[in-house]
């Protein structure tokens, strides 16, 4: 079991990892890249006259290697909170005592899905599939997430139908989900499980992490969420969204965890 798993390999995640490694913790970094940073242009960060976000990202990955920090390019599918945290990815699953979330702010749920979240739409098969036991269950999403969610749904029903996921997908209903339209085809339904990449909102459903009104993750002065052992840093939390602030938050979060680790 890991002492801490860091999800995200941008400035915040790498900064936290470097300090946690130095503090003697057994850690793992999971990420499939930092798209926001790779597309950025950096000209106001100390020590760099001018740099592309991609080159800065690559330097961060080299720092992980130089410091013998285990990191894997695996997309996180879901996180389970039991007596320990279980992080499931596209390739494997890992157990950890703590989690640092550093997945950025771009991964937010589309408003058309948020409208019916908890009223027919679910992001957590583990949480909500038992409510539809032996009933017809619908799901929609992209690979490899939809294959994983299908496995979970099949534990509760043999009658499962996939709804094609594309830009034409429209949901309707006054308050509760009543149906969907995709490619001009109207399907009456009262449930839809979404199989999408990890978002702030899916973290809310699977882990119970609280968000503010702007969908940023709420944290305290230690960067801990309302869930003990789950931290959030970088663009996931409200504030100044710059490389410098992300690096600072990664450092401070790691130092707080190291302090707790040594005092345990």
């Amino acid at each position: 079991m890991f002492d801490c798993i860091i999800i995200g390999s941008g400035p915040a995640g790498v900064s936290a990892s470097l300090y946690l490694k130095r503090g003697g913790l057994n850690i793992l970094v999971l990420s499939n890249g930092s798209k926001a940073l790779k597309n950025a242009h950096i000209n106001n960060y100390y020590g760099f006259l001018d740099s592309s976000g991609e080159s800065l990202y690559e330097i961060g990955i080299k720092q992980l290697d130089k410091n013998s920090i285990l990191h894997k390019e695996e997309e996180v599918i879901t996180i389970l909170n039991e007596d320990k945290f279980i992080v499931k990815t596209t390739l494997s699953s890992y157990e950890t005592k703590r989690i640092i979330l550093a997945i950025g702010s771009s991964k937010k749920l589309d408003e058309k899905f948020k409208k019916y979240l908890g009223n027919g739409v679910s992001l957590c098969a583990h949480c909500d599939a038992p409510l539809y036991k032996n009933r017809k269950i619908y799901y929609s999403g992209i690979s490899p997430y939809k294959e994983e969610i299908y496995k979970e749904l099949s534990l509760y029903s043999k009658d499962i139908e996939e709804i094609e996921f594309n830009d034409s997908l429209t949901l309707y209903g006054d308050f509760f989900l009543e149906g969907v339209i995709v490619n001009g085809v109207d399907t009456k339904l009262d449930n839809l499980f979404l199989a999408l990449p990890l978002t702030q909102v899916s973290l809310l459903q699977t882990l119970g992490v609280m968000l503010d009104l702007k969908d940023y993750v709420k944290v305290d002065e230690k960067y801990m969420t309302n869930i003990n052992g789950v931290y959030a840093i970088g663009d996931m939390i409200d504030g100044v969204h710059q490389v410098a602030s992300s690096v600072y938050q990664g450092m401070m979060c790691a130092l707080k965890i190291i302090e707790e680790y040594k005092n345990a």
Side-chain angles (χ1 to χ4, degrees):
M1 182 187 297
F2 291 98
D3 293 316
C4 186
I5 289 180
I6 301 91
I7 303 175
S9 58
V14 170
S15 175
S17 304
L18 294 171
Y19 280 88
L20 290 173
K21 179 70 174 183
R22 183 183 294 179
L25 276 72
N26 179 27
I27 64 173
L28 168 66
V29 179
L30 294 172
S31 175
N32 68 338
S34 177
K35 294 179 182 178
L37 183 62
K38 287 181 178 180
N39 295 331
H41 188 78
I42 313 299
N43 57 15
N44 61 346
Y45 186 61
Y46 178 79
F48 287 82
L49 294 177
D50 199 28
S51 174
S52 68
E54 185 171 7
S55 64
L56 189 63
Y57 175 79
E58 290 172 354
I59 290 172
I61 298 301
K62 289 178 181 178
Q63 283 183 294
L64 295 178
D65 290 330
K66 184 178 179 180
N67 288 273
S68 301
I69 296 173
L70 180 63
H71 62 97
K72 299 187 177 185
E73 294 253 335
E74 297 179 21
E75 180 80 21
V76 174
I77 296 174
T78 190
I79 304 171
L80 304 180
N81 183 3
E82 299 179 351
D83 56 336
K84 56 187 173 292
F85 296 106
I86 302 174
V87 181
K88 291 188 175 184
T89 73
T90 49
L91 299 177
S92 189
S93 63
Y94 307 93
E95 297 180 354
T96 182
K97 300 172 185 176
R98 304 171 187 83
I99 293 173
I100 296 179
L101 303 169
I103 63 174
S105 65
S106 61
K107 297 181 178 179
K108 294 186 177 181
L109 189 66
D110 193 297
E111 289 296 327
K112 68 181 178 181
F113 300 126
K114 280 182 64 178
K115 179 180 179 181
Y116 297 104
L117 196 62
N119 294 315
V121 170
S122 175
L123 295 164
C124 181
H126 178 75
C127 312
D128 297 331
L131 300 174
Y132 299 93
K133 187 175 182 180
N134 297 325
R135 291 181 51 194
K136 184 158 188 174
I137 301 178
Y138 298 84
Y139 74 101
S140 183
I142 59 177
S143 294
Y145 314 99
K146 66 180 184 179
E147 286 80 11
E148 185 68 23
I149 205 171
Y150 179 83
K151 292 178 186 177
E152 188 76 28
L153 295 175
S154 63
L155 297 175
Y156 301 96
S157 176
K158 294 181 179 180
D159 191 3
I160 304 172
E161 181 177 334
E162 180 181 358
I163 300 295
E164 183 177 349
F165 186 86
N166 60 38
D167 291 339
S168 75
L169 178 58
T170 303
L171 286 64
Y172 65 86
D174 291 334
F175 182 76
F176 294 100
L177 180 65
E178 298 176 8
V180 300
I181 300 173
V182 61
N183 298 329
V185 178
D186 189 334
T187 303
K188 305 292 184 183
L189 50 80
D190 64 354
N191 69 85
L192 183 66
F193 287 83
L194 294 177
L196 301 172
L198 199 65
T199 67
Q200 279 93 323
V201 178
S202 64
L203 289 170
L204 170 66
Q205 279 212 322
T206 56
L207 282 174
V209 171
M210 291 183 65
L211 309 179
D212 63 21
L213 295 177
K214 295 186 287 185
D215 279 350
Y216 288 114
V217 177
K218 288 185 176 182
V219 295
D220 62 16
E221 68 280 357
K222 296 180 180 180
Y223 297 97
M224 187 185 289
T225 69
N226 60 299
I227 304 300
N228 188 41
V230 179
Y231 303 79
I233 53 177
D235 289 357
M236 294 191 71
I237 64 176
D238 201 0
V240 179
H241 295 156
Q242 294 287 315
V243 172
S245 56
S246 292
V247 170
Y248 170 79
Q249 291 164 11
M251 174 192 70
M252 292 304 297
C253 179
L255 291 177
K256 296 294 185 182
I257 291 175
I258 292 168
E259 182 180 355
E260 293 173 0
Y261 177 76
K262 290 183 176 179
N263 292 333

